[in-house]
Amino acid sequence: MSFRTTPSVDYVEDVSPGSGALPPRAWYASSDARSLSLNGSWRFRLSATAGAEDDSFAEEGYDAGNWAEVTVPGHWVLQGDGAFGSPIYTNHLYPFPVDPPYVPTENPTGDHLRVFDLPSDWPSDGGAVLRFDGVESCARVWLNGTELGEFKGSRLAHEFAVGELLKPGSNVLAVRVHQWSAGSYLEDQDQWWLPGIFRDVTLLHRPSGGAGDFFVHASYDHTTGEGTLRVDSDVDGRVSVPDLDIDVATGEPVTVAVRPWTAETPKLYDGVLVTDGERVPLRIGFRTVVLEDGLIKVNGKAVLFKGVNRHEWHPEHGRALDLETMREDVLLMKRHNLNAVRTSHYPPHPAFLDLCDEYGLWVIDECDLETHGFTEQDWRDNPVDDDRWTPALLDRAARMVERDKNHPSIVFWSLGNEAGTGRGLTAMAEWIHGRDPERLVHYEGDWNCRDTDVYSRMYAFHDEVEKIGQQLDGGTHRRRELPFIQCEYAHAMGNGPGGLADYQELFEKYERLQGAFVWEWIDHGVRHAELGYAYGGDFGEELHDGNFVCDGLVFPDRTPSPGLIEYKKVIEPVRIQGDGPNGIVHVTNKQDFADLSALAFEWSCQVDGETVESGSLAVPALAPGESAEVKLPEPPVDGRGGERQWTVRALLADDTSWAAKGHVVAWGQFAVGARPLPSFPATDRPVPDEGRITLGPAGFDARTGALLTIGGVEVGATPRLDVWRAPTDNDDGAEWQTDTRYGTLWRTLGLHRMRHRLVSVEAGDDALTVRTRVAPAAREVGLDTVYRWTSDGERLRLTVSVTPEGDWTVPLPRLGVRFGLAEADRVEWFGGGPGEAYPDTGKASMVGRWQSTVDGLQTPYVRPQENGARADVRWVELGGLRIEGDPEFWFTARRWTTEQLDAARHRTDLTAGDTVWVNLDHGQHGIGSQSCGPGPLPQYFLKAEPAEFSFVFSTTR
């Protein structure tokens, strides 16, 4: 009798980082040494457990002809149409029992096979290295039947020496990948759990005398304008930089006059490291990062970070990104005025850092470390405070620093994210400070700043941020001496974030506040045939955090959200303010390093939203921080009355690497005079006739007072008071914010099920008055509402008066009227646009004449919610009606009701009906950022208090 021996998988639950891999070194994309990409189609076999199969698949001659295929780089759960399992999303909870370092026996394990030939001209001398740039979460590797080793650290590079194992043809590369391992306890980031070989696999020839590890030191002295270059290399060679006439031996410093590197002026010098066996291209940026006078300074100047947190994401490929997708991210960031990125919560593909160097972005490079799930047990058994895990932590720190150390864009090394505190983090910080004293160290969880060079927080509310700026926040002596950043703020989940402008005002007011990073860059929606985009729970996960994974400034397809448009406006590098009546423009350069010579300015004058004249505006090339007043021309006279305003734009004067000439960088608007309000005398009287009442162009139901028609336009549902909106993710708030989750408070009060009681219909001499009471069931609070209709024979005016009754303890979601139109498609309006805006998200709303379809008014949030309101509307035309407001108003138009929008969980749940539902709102509650951060500030509350507002209706047919 024979028994099959279960292969040993002890390494899976070993807390060590692995074995067999070479020491980490600097990553570079190319040299004159040969390389062979092993990306592409691999044979694949999935097992339910780590030890289900033996190691025979790694042997030469193994027949894998009946195996499936997957693409590398890739995640197996995003391939095979569900045959290989499904993604799992959790924010911080581990999707397995917390019993470190053990993981479940049910451990999906993917065996990968690739057979490859060496090119015919592959060099026969020297050695070779096999490099894996990213594998989740634990991999064991064989080449031609010889085991190379195993490793953990999913978002980190690992290399193996393989020169003696290579053959000219039919090399068998076998990789066994386990979804769960001891390393999973260190990788509890807020993202999808996605196993697989998701970054490049490359074979690198290592010629005799080839370059090994090297460290480019390129500092800048802002007092002399000189840079000092020294390239330390473990293989002797020479460094040349032709543009600087540099040709020196490695290890020797040289000082020359240079142009420095900054995010605004990303000057790179092309150089080359030459050893006996290899030439390695260098892209050198001279800059110096210091902590001085309690501030983060680069090249002698304090910087203000206008940043974003960036997870790697593609809706079809997960964290397997190609170069062009990475470039698209960087270009979008630059075009929307961002200057910094935190690589949450792991080192990105190194090519992304090349792009940050090239185009100009400050970078906080973050280690692949998060143990957030241990909060559920008050951080008991947290690996970062357990000496057994310290070698793994140090390995992760070293692999980040050594791989990325030659990027000038990186100004901070971050120890990781939400991992509590402990001895392991201190060891990491000490090692990093010792290895690279030319950069600063960041870690948000270290509030006492024992190990860090900056006081960093997440989601501190505006009032606390101001106290920190005033240095009234207390804390340790060391913390009080350090600058402050918000490494996460303004949670960009769904509609929002609100309050960005209020934060930015504080950052610019107090020197200690050196900016912040919005959470986060992209919605992690997974493209799904039936749902559009899937989020947590859509794959049947037992434990998940829903659409909390969709919290980005761009939608899954990288379309900018209104939140990104708003952020661009708030962080403009040029402030343009004006005194319209006097024709004066105040221009301020808000950049840290660059003057305004790269920008051209233009003015335009609008009458009722239409441009009547425009021209160029001469603005000096202001230095950073400087301001100037510029006189506008005399307002043009075109014989028309109406509302007049100036618009001034700052544009790129020439093409740049990241945007074309004419790209709008900043803009300002200011009124020349007050807007004339719509008014007319009430000359017509209501006329009853066989169950109807006629008033001017309108017909009403005599019993209910409901509006039926205006001219030839049929009204599908009469205008009546509406206070409900489909709660946004920020309205619903984070679960831990139990006291102020407005969506919950609104539902508890019953604002989603208001009832309308008709009190009276009164046909007077000059008006039709309809009195109602609007109130939620089971509550004594209510809103006395009076609709007063008047007409001059051609136009119809509705004046709505609202008086709250009872003790209203919560703000209203909205206040206005809702009605239905049988037909409407094209929409034109004069007011804010082109996109949506709410009380605390409206800085990017530009007043003008805009057009859209009803469908085009919708904002495609992954989870449907209140969206699409246009602000400061003077008038809107749709469905044959023109509606003017007194005062300005918000409007939305949809092919579904608010209730249907509220019930939908995906956009595919929304089905267009026969009625277009229109909201004309006097007020909206602010948006805030309470899906993780603060709610709306008090000045953006929509309080339940007496209000009166009017709309004038007329026909356009």
Side-chain angles (χ1 to χ4, degrees):
M1 181 178 294
S2 63
F3 295 91
R4 178 181 180 274
T5 302
T6 301
S8 173
V9 291
D10 291 346
Y11 64 91
V12 174
E13 296 175 329
D14 192 326
V15 299
S16 74
S19 63
L22 295 169
R25 65 185 181 116
W27 190 98
Y28 50 95
S30 63
S31 75
D32 64 349
R34 290 295 305 274
S35 66
L36 177 66
S37 172
L38 298 178
N39 296 343
S41 180
W42 289 50
R43 290 290 183 176
F44 177 75
R45 176 181 65 187
L46 182 64
S47 303
T49 64
E53 300 287 349
D54 61 24
D55 306 339
S56 61
F57 82 104
E59 299 293 335
E60 296 180 78
Y62 182 88
D63 183 5
N66 61 344
W67 287 21
E69 293 186 18
V70 294
T71 298
V72 172
H75 307 278
W76 70 67
V77 293
L78 296 181
Q79 303 183 57
D81 294 326
F84 306 142
S86 300
I88 300 170
Y89 167 61
T90 60
N91 167 28
H92 77 279
L93 298 174
Y94 289 104
F96 47 80
V98 181
D99 183 24
Y102 304 110
V103 294
T105 301
E106 297 81 15
N107 187 356
T109 295
D111 289 333
H112 298 69
L113 269 180
R114 172 71 190 264
V115 179
F116 65 93
D117 298 332
L118 293 179
S120 58
D121 58 348
W122 187 267
S124 58
D125 63 323
V129 164
L130 180 64
R131 184 174 69 204
F132 294 88
D133 283 317
V135 183
E136 183 177 332
S137 73
C138 173
R140 187 179 179 191
V141 186
W142 298 261
L143 181 63
N144 292 330
T146 297
E147 182 173 352
L148 304 180
E150 81 282 339
F151 62 90
K152 308 178 189 75
S154 298
R155 270 68 71 173
L156 299 162
H158 294 82
E159 294 182 329
F160 296 91
V162 297
E164 296 180 355
L165 300 175
L166 289 173
K167 305 183 302 180
S170 299
N171 292 279
V172 178
L173 176 57
V175 185
R176 173 163 285 168
V177 180
H178 307 283
Q179 175 156 19
W180 310 122
S181 69
S184 300
Y185 284 99
L186 304 180
E187 297 174 3
D188 190 26
Q189 292 97 337
D190 175 10
Q191 61 182 350
W192 295 96
W193 298 88
L194 299 172
I197 305 172
F198 68 95
R199 287 187 185 157
D200 306 289
V201 181
T202 311
L203 182 68
L204 304 168
H205 177 237
R206 303 311 304 137
S208 177
D213 190 24
F214 58 91
F215 197 162
V216 177
H217 301 271
S219 61
Y220 178 72
D221 186 337
H222 65 279
T223 63
T224 65
E226 293 178 322
T228 298
L229 175 67
R230 187 185 81 246
V231 178
D232 295 333
S233 173
D234 59 4
V235 175
D236 290 342
R238 297 194 68 79
V239 175
S240 63
V241 185
D243 286 353
L244 297 175
D245 292 328
I246 290 176
D247 185 358
V248 295
T250 53
E252 292 185 10
V254 58
T255 300
V256 294
V258 298
R259 291 166 53 195
W261 189 99
T262 74
E264 295 167 9
T265 58
K267 173 61 179 176
L268 292 173
Y269 289 92
D270 289 325
V272 61
L273 167 63
V274 181
T275 67
D276 286 345
E278 189 174 12
R279 295 174 60 88
V280 181
L282 305 176
R283 303 207 76 190
I284 302 165
F286 290 87
R287 57 102 186 97
T288 296
V289 184
V290 297
L291 184 64
E292 183 178 82
D293 303 323
L295 297 173
I296 305 158
K297 292 185 179 181
V298 180
N299 301 339
K301 291 188 176 182
V303 296
L304 184 61
F305 297 115
K306 303 169 184 178
V308 68
N309 287 271
R310 175 187 176 267
H311 267 297
E312 294 180 305
W313 187 251
H314 187 281
E316 295 172 357
H317 308 304
R319 287 187 286 278
L321 301 188
D322 60 17
L323 179 62
E324 288 313 306
T325 299
M326 292 184 250
R327 189 185 307 276
E328 184 178 358
D329 279 347
V330 171
L331 293 178
L332 279 169
M333 290 176 187
K334 293 292 291 186
R335 291 168 185 166
H336 289 86
N337 294 332
L338 279 77
N339 72 357
V341 60
R342 175 181 176 225
T343 69
S344 56
H345 295 297
Y346 42 82
H349 191 293
F352 178 78
L353 298 174
D354 287 340
L355 296 169
C356 294
D357 295 341
E358 178 182 351
Y359 293 101
L361 288 169
W362 307 116
V363 174
I364 297 180
D365 196 5
E366 192 146 272
C367 194
D368 191 7
L369 173 62
E370 180 166 338
T371 64
H372 199 173
F374 284 90
T375 56
E376 297 298 306
Q377 53 199 61
D378 296 324
W379 296 107
R380 187 174 61 257
D381 299 326
N382 185 8
V384 304
D385 201 29
D386 183 334
D387 291 339
R388 295 175 301 165
W389 294 81
T390 299
L393 302 183
L394 290 172
D395 180 75
R396 288 170 183 251
R399 289 189 181 278
M400 171 183 68
V401 172
E402 301 295 5
R403 192 197 76 167
D404 296 342
K405 58 182 176 281
N406 294 325
H407 291 282
S409 56
I410 297 173
V411 293
F412 270 100
W413 301 115
S414 179
L415 303 181
N417 184 67
E418 293 176 315
T421 57
R423 292 163 288 174
L425 290 167
T426 299
M428 293 170 69
E430 290 175 349
W431 185 89
I432 293 174
H433 276 122
R435 176 59 174 143
D436 184 16
E438 298 169 355
R439 290 183 175 93
L440 305 179
V441 171
H442 167 272
Y443 178 64
E444 182 272 339
D446 182 14
W447 285 19
N448 291 326
C449 302
R450 179 181 63 178
D451 302 322
T452 61
D453 300 310
V454 62
Y455 177 29
S456 177
R457 289 281 301 282
M458 296 180 182
Y459 309 108
F461 288 17
H462 296 76
D463 56 351
E464 184 183 5
V465 170
E466 181 154 34
K467 289 180 181 178
I468 294 170
Q470 296 168 332
Q471 297 189 323
L472 300 176
D473 56 304
T476 63
H477 177 72
R478 172 166 169 77
R479 189 177 92 181
R480 294 197 304 272
E481 291 182 325
L482 294 179
F484 175 80
I485 64 170
Q486 287 232 67
C487 67
E488 294 180 21
Y489 88 125
H491 198 250
M493 185 176 177
N495 188 333
L500 282 168
D502 306 277
Y503 271 122
Q504 195 65 25
E505 182 179 343
L506 296 173
F507 300 152
E508 295 178 9
K509 182 177 181 180
Y510 298 104
E511 187 179 49
R512 186 189 185 192
L513 308 180
Q514 291 198 251
F517 296 75
V518 168
W519 184 266
E520 63 162 304
W521 176 241
I522 188 169
D523 287 341
H524 301 203
V526 177
R527 200 180 303 278
H528 192 283
E530 297 176 0
L531 302 176
Y533 291 108
Y535 49 76
D538 288 334
F539 296 99
E541 305 103 300
E542 295 177 351
L543 196 67
H544 67 85
D545 287 288
N547 69 310
F548 202 69
V549 76
C550 295
D551 47 12
L553 290 172
V554 297
F555 297 126
D557 64 357
R558 286 180 161 72
T559 299
S561 76
L564 181 57
I565 306 303
E566 176 77 355
Y567 196 32
K568 175 186 178 181
K569 176 62 181 169
V570 166
I571 60 174
E572 286 175 336
V574 183
R575 179 186 291 121
I576 300 172
Q577 298 171 310
D579 180 350
N582 293 319
I584 299 294
V585 179
H586 305 271
V587 180
T588 303
N589 181 358
K590 295 163 60 180
Q591 297 178 106
D592 296 323
F593 296 94
D595 63 23
L596 298 187
S597 59
L599 301 179
F601 291 77
E602 67 176 26
W603 63 267
S604 61
C605 184
Q606 290 83 36
V607 177
D608 288 339
E610 291 188 302
T611 297
V612 296
E613 196 167 340
S614 63
S616 60
L617 188 66
V619 175
L622 301 170
E626 287 187 345
S627 299
E629 290 189 351
V630 182
K631 188 73 170 70
L632 289 164
E634 291 298 318
V637 178
D638 67 344
R640 290 189 290 175
E643 181 177 359
R644 292 173 176 262
Q645 66 183 19
W646 294 103
T647 302
V648 175
R649 294 177 173 86
L651 319 170
L652 288 180
D654 295 293
D655 291 346
T656 69
S657 62
W658 49 269
K661 176 181 179 180
H663 168 78
V664 178
V665 173
W667 58 271
Q669 275 190 328
F670 25 95
V672 176
R675 170 202 171 206
L677 296 175
S679 63
F680 58 80
T683 57
D684 268 30
R685 61 178 299 169
V687 179
D689 182 20
E690 297 183 357
R692 290 173 64 96
I693 295 176
T694 300
L695 177 60
F700 297 82
D701 184 291
R703 183 178 61 85
T704 64
L707 177 66
L708 303 175
T709 60
I710 301 177
V713 178
E714 180 181 347
V715 178
T718 189
R720 66 177 188 171
L721 192 74
D722 190 16
V723 299
W724 181 242
R725 73 184 187 196
T728 67
D729 291 311
N730 288 305
D731 289 338
D732 283 337
E735 292 182 3
W736 57 87
Q737 296 166 318
T738 55
D739 295 334
T740 55
R741 296 172 66 190
Y742 295 103
T744 300
L745 294 173
W746 293 337
R747 289 187 197 276
T748 300
L749 186 58
L751 299 188
H752 61 307
R753 47 179 174 78
M754 300 290 276
R755 297 292 180 260
H756 298 251
R757 177 169 63 86
L758 179 63
V759 176
S760 65
V761 178
E762 305 166 6
D765 289 340
D766 62 351
L768 174 65
T769 303
V770 181
R771 303 182 186 276
T772 68
R773 187 174 189 274
V774 184
R779 305 289 176 179
E780 63 178 357
V781 298
L783 300 168
D784 277 347
T785 307
V786 178
Y787 308 93
R788 188 171 187 271
W789 298 93
T790 58
S791 178
D792 66 353
E794 294 183 357
R795 293 169 290 177
L796 183 70
R797 184 183 190 96
L798 167 62
T799 300
V800 182
S801 302
V802 181
T803 305
E805 285 187 340
D807 185 14
W808 285 86
T809 59
V810 298
L812 298 172
R814 71 178 344 131
L815 181 68
V817 297
R818 178 173 67 168
F819 67 98
L821 291 174
E823 297 181 10
D825 184 24
R826 300 295 305 176
V827 184
E828 183 175 357
W829 72 98
F830 172 29
E836 72 182 27
Y838 291 82
D840 54 351
T841 68
K843 293 298 182 182
S845 181
M846 177 183 286
V847 174
R849 289 275 290 269
W850 308 102
Q851 293 184 349
S852 177
T853 62
V854 169
D855 293 339
L857 294 174
Q858 315 311 307
T859 304
Y861 295 115
V862 174
R863 185 191 75 81
Q865 56 198 272
E866 166 63 32
N867 73 89
R870 270 53 179 184
D872 301 315
V873 176
R874 283 74 163 151
W875 56 256
V876 60
E877 293 182 354
L878 76 166
L881 291 181
R882 179 184 176 94
I883 306 165
E884 300 175 77
D886 180 8
E888 293 83 9
F889 59 98
W890 280 270
F891 94 89
T892 60
R894 306 187 179 99
R895 300 189 186 278
W896 36 79
T897 65
T898 299
E899 291 72 23
Q900 290 169 325
L901 185 64
D902 188 11
R905 291 297 169 261
H906 296 86
R907 286 187 54 79
T908 51
D909 295 334
L910 294 169
T911 303
D914 296 329
T915 301
V916 171
W917 296 94
V918 180
N919 277 89
L920 311 174
D921 290 318
H922 177 63
Q924 283 267 359
H925 187 61
I927 295 296
S929 185
Q930 203 174 13
S931 53
C932 197
L937 290 170
Q939 61 263 38
Y940 303 118
F941 283 19
L942 179 57
K943 298 178 181 178
E945 55 190 14
E948 184 172 284
F949 47 94
S950 298
F951 303 102
V952 174
F953 297 82
S954 57
T955 59
T956 60
R957 295 173 177 172

